[in-house]
């Protein structure tokens, strides 16, 4: 047996290899992990929600306890700043706790009971149904969220809350961070006596391990946050399987942000500061970064862009997440700068591996003739599209692809006239923000972080917020089962005090014996 | 301009063309229908649920009023019996009323409100979300449900309740029936002032119109019930679009029904009668027809199969839905009869176009060596697999593909020992029935008519029951919108009295001003 191949993550600030070698997961180890996950699937699914909640809570505690180490490794591997990473660690723990609450409370399974009627012709059966976990889920770590959307991140928390074992393919840019987070989850799994194989992390600096995972017959769903090309490759692999599986891929979004002329006039310094923060936050590497601004023609718009360019120039240079992202940013901004109809307002070049934020402008007509201008350039860059009439703006927005978010800044008195713009934005995006900024995705029950293709591969779903657990389930019905054979969620006594739908009525009450006799 | 090409449906009992020519929808007419549906999408989506409920209720009334005509046309076109078709017409109307109730009550949109906290750092935004309709839906009529799963059927009712315009591709075997149902829905749409283009039916005896529909950029989802080959062709077309769309295809299921030895011993005449009705009902052409029986080795099983063969022989011959289905049935049963390990217990051949029910038997080992024996043969045919040990049975069940249903007949005292079998069945099917029969799918809130691939293309969903509306929606969030700009479902006052999730708590209460101030 030969020693496993190993790789080294690179320090994005220096381009140099970090000292710790990371062994590539062997085909044998991968098969063992997936088989263990498949064996864990049924016992893990059958655990009470409170037990899964204990696991997720222990995981949150472990993430909190290991924050210093997580942040130190992630700073080396991603060049994200310490405050950002401390915030992300807190968010990761909070997210695990939110899903723990969901699993503990339990009503999210959408338990439904339709009572029988033996006197009807034909007799009406007893039908009870709920969401059940799909089985082992493959989660791909994201480059831009080494903690909150990687090993212990949102997809992992959602899948575990739903009752699915998880195998994470660590992102190759931050394997040491991933290993610390893996330790946190494995310690939590051991401390709360989860079935062996409930949670594993695998490593590869290429595509083999990830593709093998997606193609493995025991894997039942995939969660992915990354590039459009990466997401589409996983989708194609999943659809080509003898038994296709769902891929929840979050891929690409430029998050259009539209400013009315009055909003620009009234915006002043707070508007410039808000835009600057949203464009440059985390090195502009957030999924909801506003890459496309719609700014009115005329003096007020000119002045705003002048102020914004100055503010972006004054913002500190940042190091992007990886050499590949640096190169893509350099190429994408160079292409924008070279476009005959695009004017450079603020230049992107920095010294060495540092980059400055960039701002470009183009007339609306340029977007119509070159729709590729609306493609995402990942990093701290925005393209301002200058528009004249509301009608022309509305037409241009209609040509946009699907987006995670869209944002409108307009004064309250203008909103009736801007209703058609809001309607177009609603048809394009998963979330529409009024007079705010799309970055800073709130983790809660109502959040929708999804959107029509190509923002995601499944615009019906969300990857942030408690609804994310539902994507890792299917519906299942029991017909004419005795009470003792039903899971507690569907038993007459409603021992878990769930909100259920009984004959179409929402209730927390038990079923009384005479009704079901 | 040339006259449109026309086709004639065939009378399955005689093979002769029915008199009324059916014009194939021209590409121009198809484009006009889809464009009208796209224009209707926003106004239809914005109608109050009560207005959509009025439309669906009027449609139900129309179906009831036109039942005689629907049944007459369907008898000619499908050879299904009058009692079956009268029952199906009643079920179609009931289904429309159930979805009317869903739309009127409104809570199914899963409205969620997470309240803001402006004092938090950073400020917590106001996020409110709900399910919104996807846009125009293409529905393919099913051959085996000319009323309840065709023009005015389940997918149509679910999509309209969800707020999606519908274009139905009528099944080529029953165009005259489809035209009557189309009149019913169009009359209802006109009487309730639905937007022009909300509902259209198109016709073709080939695949061009259907494929053009699935490929049209304005179509946002597809509902289909039919063959595995047909469903997979639509899936491939939908996935190859520049913007892929979901296809909810119900394709293929043999609905395994397992009998324990004690259940056989205790079953007697009622068991034989129940099996006979479930195997032969509607000519064996129900999606949940039990095509695969697992019968214990030994004398009790032998006796049951002898009785069942006699009962099937005594059952009246039936005419299958179409010449194509007749040929497939003849071919499928001939292949079973010719299989070296399969024994014919009751023969399929009938006179002319009539067919008798057929029953075959094979040892468990044959299924292991020839898994294709478990492929669906559409029509009144079942293959009995004779099993010895519970362990061998469990292993064979593990090898089955995904199913709509699975059924176990066992005595109450046996159930603990049969738990592993129930667990395997649960992992394979969308619905598990205990001591009953899978046919006769109850339309209600808890029903799940779905299942893992290839039973359906999306095992997370259901095509029967009120949850079917959810498949035609996506999630959408409003961030920091003033109350007046929100849809009623998300307004503070909760004017529709919906059950909503407010900060994670289920409630019908309004939001009080001080909370949101």
């Amino acid at each position: 047996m030969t020693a496993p191949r190993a790789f080294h993550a690179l320090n994005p600030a220096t381009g140099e290899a970090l000292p710790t070698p990371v062994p590539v997961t062997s085909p044998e180890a991968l098969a063992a992990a997936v088989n263990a996950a498949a064996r864990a699937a049924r016992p893990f699914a059958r655990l009470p929600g409170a037990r899964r909640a204990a696991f997720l809570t222990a995981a949150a505690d472990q993430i909190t306890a290991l924050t210093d180490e997580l942040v130190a490794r992630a700073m080396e591997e991603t060049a994200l700043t310490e405050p950002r990473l401390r915030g992300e660690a807190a968010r990761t723990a909070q997210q695990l706790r939110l899903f723990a609450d969901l699993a503990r409370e339990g009503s999210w399974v959408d338990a439904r009971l339709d009572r029988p009627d033996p006197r009807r012709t034909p007799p009406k059966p007893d039908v009870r149904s709920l969401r059940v976990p799909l089985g082992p889920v493959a989660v791909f770590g994201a480059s831009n969220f080494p903690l909150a959307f990687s090993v212990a991140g949102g997809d992992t928390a959602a899948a575990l809350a739903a009752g699915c074992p998880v195998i994470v393919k660590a992102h190759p840019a931050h394997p040491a961070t991933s290993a610390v987070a893996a330790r946190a989850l494995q310690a939590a799994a051991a401390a709360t006596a989860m079935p062996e194989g409930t949670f594993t992390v695998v490593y590869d600096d290429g595509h083999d391990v990830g593709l093998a995972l997606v193609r493995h017959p025991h894997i039942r769903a995939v969660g992915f946050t990354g590039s459009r090309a990466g997401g589409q490759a996983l989708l194609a692999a999943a659809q080509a399987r003898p038994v296709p599986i769902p891929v929840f891929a979050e891929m690409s979004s430029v998050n259009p942000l539209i400013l009315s002329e009055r909003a620009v006039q009234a915006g002043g310094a707070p508007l410039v500061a808000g835009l600057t923060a949203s464009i440059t936050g985390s090195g502009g590497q957030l999924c909801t970064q506003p890459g496309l601004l719609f700014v009115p023609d005329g003096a007020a718009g000119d002045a705003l862009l002048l102020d914004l360019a100055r503010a972006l120039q004054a913002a500190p240079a940042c190091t992007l997440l990886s050499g590949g992202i640096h190169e893509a940013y350099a190429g994408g901004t160079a292409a924008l700068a070279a476009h005959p109809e695009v004017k450079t307002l603020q230049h992107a070049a920095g010294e060495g591996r540092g980059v400055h934020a960039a701002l470009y402008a183009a007339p609306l007509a340029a977007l119509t003739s070159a729709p590729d201008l609306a493609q995402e350039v990942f990093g701290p860059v925005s393209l301002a599209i200058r528009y004249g009439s509301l009608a022309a703006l509305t037409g241009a927005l209609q040509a946009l692809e699907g987006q995670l978010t869209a944002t409108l800044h307009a004064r309250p008195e203008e909103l009736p006239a801007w209703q058609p713009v809001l309607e177009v934005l609603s048809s394009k995006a998963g979330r529409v923000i009024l007079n705010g900024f799309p970055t800073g995705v709130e983790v809660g029950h109502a959040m929708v972080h999804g959107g029509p293709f190509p923002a995601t591969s499944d615009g019906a779903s969300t990857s942030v917020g408690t609804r994310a657990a539902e994507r890792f389930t299917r519906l299942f019905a029991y017909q004419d089962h005795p009470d003792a054979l039903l899971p507690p969620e569907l038993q007459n006594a409603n021992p878990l005090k769930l909100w259920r739908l009984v004959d179409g009525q929402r209730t927390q009450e038990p079923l009384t014996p005479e009704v079901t006799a």
Side-chain angles (χ1 to χ4, degrees), chain A:
Chain A
M1 199 165 150
T2 55
R5 188 168 69 77
F7 69 98
H8 290 260
L10 305 179
N11 181 331
T14 63
E16 282 164 16
L18 289 162
T20 314
V22 182
V24 172
T25 301
S26 69
E28 296 75 22
L30 183 68
V34 181
N35 289 332
R39 282 192 303 274
R42 200 168 294 159
F44 186 58
R46 293 175 72 92
L47 286 180
R51 289 283 312 282
R52 294 205 292 269
F55 171 30
L56 291 165
T57 304
D61 291 342
Q62 287 284 337
I63 292 290
T64 303
L66 290 170
T67 291
D68 287 350
E69 195 176 347
L70 284 166
V71 169
R73 293 293 83 71
M75 285 175 71
E76 289 170 356
E77 292 186 325
T78 69
L80 290 167
T81 65
E82 180 169 350
R84 145 71 202 249
L85 288 167
R86 290 208 174 270
E88 189 180 340
R91 176 189 163 136
T92 306
Q94 182 223 330
Q95 199 162 244
L96 289 161
R97 289 184 204 284
L98 183 71
F99 280 99
D101 292 344
L102 187 82
R104 188 182 300 109
E105 196 279 330
S107 297
W108 74 277
V109 300
D110 189 22
R112 297 186 177 202
L113 296 79
D114 286 348
R115 288 179 291 188
D117 181 358
R119 288 173 302 275
R120 200 192 65 176
T121 309
K124 186 181 173 197
D126 179 305
V127 180
R128 306 186 186 203
S129 59
L130 80 174
R131 292 193 183 104
V132 297
L134 283 177
V137 170
V139 170
F140 285 76
S143 66
N144 62 342
F145 275 94
L147 307 177
F149 256 80
S150 287
V151 169
D155 278 333
T156 298
L160 292 174
C164 300
V166 169
I167 298 181
V168 177
K169 158 72 173 59
H171 196 281
H174 51 254
T177 311
S178 297
V180 178
R183 259 169 45 213
L185 262 87
Q186 274 146 3
T192 55
M194 292 297 114
E196 188 75 31
T198 298
F199 181 80
T200 316
V201 181
V202 296
Y203 299 87
D204 187 8
D205 58 343
H207 301 305
D208 294 351
V209 167
L211 279 172
L213 202 53
V214 172
R215 290 176 179 142
H216 197 291
H218 286 333
I219 293 294
R220 299 302 171 88
V222 177
F224 170 86
T225 300
S227 70
R228 189 162 173 174
Q232 291 196 301
L234 296 184
L235 258 178
Q239 289 170 349
R241 291 166 49 119
V243 176
I245 55 173
V247 174
F248 301 100
E250 190 209 305
M251 298 186 287
S252 168
S253 186
V254 285
N255 304 296
L257 187 152
I258 293 98
L259 297 151
S260 80
E261 181 151 18
R262 287 195 209 168
V264 172
Q265 285 160 346
L271 177 60
V272 173
L275 285 169
T276 302
S278 196
I279 292 169
T280 63
S282 298
Q285 298 164 118
L286 299 172
C287 311
T288 54
Q289 193 259 9
L292 204 58
L293 313 176
F294 287 85
V295 178
D297 285 335
D302 291 348
L304 171 77
L305 289 174
L306 204 64
D307 289 347
L308 181 58
R310 282 198 194 113
L312 293 175
Q313 188 174 27
C318 67
T319 302
L320 297 178
L321 290 161
S322 71
I325 288 173
H326 186 109
E327 276 168 42
Y329 180 73
T333 49
L336 279 171
H339 193 283
E341 294 196 80
V342 171
K343 200 169 134 187
T344 300
L345 302 184
Q346 163 59 26
H347 200 274
E351 287 174 29
R353 297 198 153 241
V355 300
H356 285 286
L359 184 64
Y360 302 91
L364 197 66
L367 189 59
T368 313
S369 57
D372 277 1
L373 285 174
Q375 293 290 314
E376 183 180 18
V377 177
F378 194 66
V381 54
S382 282
L383 170 63
I385 301 291
R386 307 299 301 269
Y387 69 89
S389 72
L390 200 50
L393 170 66
T394 309
L397 295 175
Q398 268 178 336
L400 291 180
E401 293 187 304
Q403 305 288 339
L404 291 170
T405 71
T407 304
L408 172 65
H409 284 241
R411 306 293 296 166
E413 70 276 12
E414 296 183 285
L415 290 173
W418 283 75
Q419 197 58 38
V421 166
L422 279 173
E423 283 178 6
V424 174
L425 296 182
S426 305
S427 74
K428 296 289 174 186
R431 177 168 55 112
V432 169
I433 299 112
L434 212 52
N435 294 316
F437 298 94
T439 46
V441 181
E442 189 68 28
V443 180
H445 299 282
M447 180 48 68
V448 176
H449 189 66
F453 184 93
T456 75
S457 60
D458 180 349
S461 183
T462 176
S463 60
V464 175
T466 50
R467 280 192 187 101
E470 299 172 17
R471 53 165 59 180
F472 298 120
T473 67
R474 64 182 178 98
L475 297 174
F476 180 77
Y478 297 83
Q479 185 165 319
D480 290 331
H481 279 51
D483 205 55
L485 279 193
L486 291 167
E489 290 88 343
L490 297 175
Q491 288 173 1
N492 292 336
N494 194 14
L496 305 176
K497 306 267 178 294
L498 304 187
W499 285 99
R500 309 193 293 189
L501 202 66
V502 176
D503 289 338
Q505 303 297 315
R506 186 68 58 190
T507 177
Q508 274 185 304
E509 295 299 313
L511 277 192
T512 50
E514 63 264 35
V515 176
T516 54

